[in-house]
Amino acid sequence: MPEGDVVWRTARRLHEALAGRTLTVSDFRVPRHATADLRGRAVERAVSRGKHLLVRVEGRLTVHTHLRMDGSWRIRRPGPLPRDPRVRLVLGNAEWHALGHALGVVELLRTADEDAVVGHLGPDLLSSGWDDELAAEAVRRLAERPERAVGESLLDQTRLAGIGNIYKAEVCFLRGVNPWTPVADVPDLRAMVDLSHRLLYANRDRDGHVTTGDLRPGRRHWVYGRAGRPCLRCGTRVRRADQAGEAGERVTFWCPRCQPAP
């Protein structure tokens, strides 16, 4: 599932292509909204909320989409609409077409009802208003389940919104915390939240995720995707195992020496 920085970047691209322009193409390819037609309405704004995308349209309407595991938005110049069954939504104007491929969620709702689809989320790590108050709220929400493994809690979007499997593994490594450590035993939850914010913010304008500061192939992550290879810090072989997550079992990576078992 795409991380929050990928979704933030997708929202920015949608905003650049659609905002301030009148829709000339509106093609919902989902049964629930097959007859919906937004042509003639101007797009006001496209924003992300955690891993959710909201395109606000004139007339107090919002197009809500979620990429899930395989979804993507592709921006291209106008042309014949694709017959590809994976395309579930097309929004376009005279200059750009935005094609939603394999979207996990496609909904049209009143803008006033956005809380029905994103109101359950915790503080958004890439919120333009991120501050100490939001960070403290994220810590409070994480601490509500003290017995839960921290790796599982970081993936729970109702605790804090935006972290996916990559950042879960990397944040735990950088804080020296085993992913199976109960939240109650994590030495400094606030430091973990602050680090999560910094990593997502640092990568939001970059294609791909870098947590080491090293852009060379194979050295962009400390532990994620490095199972069986030496830890970049101590040389111990990185391990992997399944761990519960918001979408079921999710693989995680850790260094048994840098992140000893709780």
Side-chain angles (χ1 to χ4, degrees):
M1 185 179 294
E3 311 272 332
D5 54 349
V6 173
V7 180
W8 184 93
R9 194 160 54 251
T10 299
R12 184 180 64 181
R13 290 170 177 166
L14 284 170
H15 184 83
E16 291 171 349
L18 301 177
R21 299 183 175 98
T22 299
L23 291 172
T24 56
V25 177
S26 169
D27 187 2
F28 285 80
R29 301 181 181 181
V30 294
R32 182 179 177 186
H33 301 298
T35 61
D37 188 353
L38 299 178
R39 289 178 297 175
R41 299 174 187 261
V43 171
E44 297 174 343
R45 192 178 183 192
V47 298
S48 64
R49 180 73 170 84
K51 298 183 183 182
H52 296 253
L53 287 159
L54 304 169
V55 178
R56 295 171 184 150
V57 181
E58 189 177 36
R60 300 179 182 179
L61 294 175
T62 295
V63 179
H64 167 233
T65 61
H66 196 295
L67 305 181
R68 296 294 191 215
M69 293 299 295
D70 302 313
S72 65
W73 276 97
R74 304 174 189 180
I75 310 298
R76 72 175 197 185
R77 290 295 184 180
L81 297 186
R83 296 182 179 180
D84 188 341
R86 294 172 297 176
V87 175
R88 305 193 70 209
L89 174 59
V90 183
L91 298 174
N93 52 53
E95 297 183 61
W96 300 103
H97 283 180
L99 282 62
H101 283 251
L103 299 175
V105 173
V106 177
E107 293 182 310
L108 180 62
L109 62 150
R110 295 186 306 167
T111 300
D113 294 334
E114 285 182 0
D115 272 358
V117 294
V118 297
H120 65 289
L121 298 174
D124 184 351
L125 288 163
L126 285 177
S127 166
S128 59
W130 182 263
D131 57 14
D132 286 344
E133 185 176 345
L134 287 178
E137 174 63 13
V139 170
R140 185 191 69 78
R141 290 187 178 217
L142 286 168
E144 285 180 336
R145 296 281 302 277
E147 78 292 346
R148 200 178 190 188
V150 67
E152 180 182 350
S153 291
L154 289 174
L155 288 179
D156 184 344
Q157 302 300 296
T158 69
R159 308 297 102 186
L160 67 172
I163 291 182
N165 224 27
I166 295 174
Y167 287 117
K168 179 262 305 237
E170 297 294 287
V171 166
C172 285
F173 174 82
L174 287 167
R175 292 298 304 162
V177 175
N178 186 283
W180 281 270
T181 301
V183 168
D185 295 337
V186 173
D188 191 341
L189 277 178
R190 175 59 187 265
M192 184 164 276
V193 169
D194 288 343
L195 176 61
S196 300
H197 166 68
R198 291 199 305 273
L199 286 178
L200 266 73
Y201 191 89
N203 281 290
R204 67 178 189 165
D205 292 315
R206 176 188 290 127
D207 286 328
H209 316 280
V210 179
T211 56
T212 62
D214 190 335
L215 296 175
R216 289 176 294 174
R219 299 184 69 88
R220 296 165 69 94
H221 302 136
W222 290 101
V223 290
Y224 183 82
R226 294 183 55 83
R229 300 169 66 186
C231 170
L232 292 176
R233 179 175 289 165
C234 73
T236 303
R237 290 193 180 278
V238 172
R239 297 181 62 185
R240 62 170 283 172
D242 289 337
Q243 185 175 33
E246 62 173 338
E249 292 294 318
R250 303 286 298 279
V251 67
T252 195
F253 301 84
W254 77 101
C255 170
R257 182 174 180 182
C258 295
Q259 302 164 265

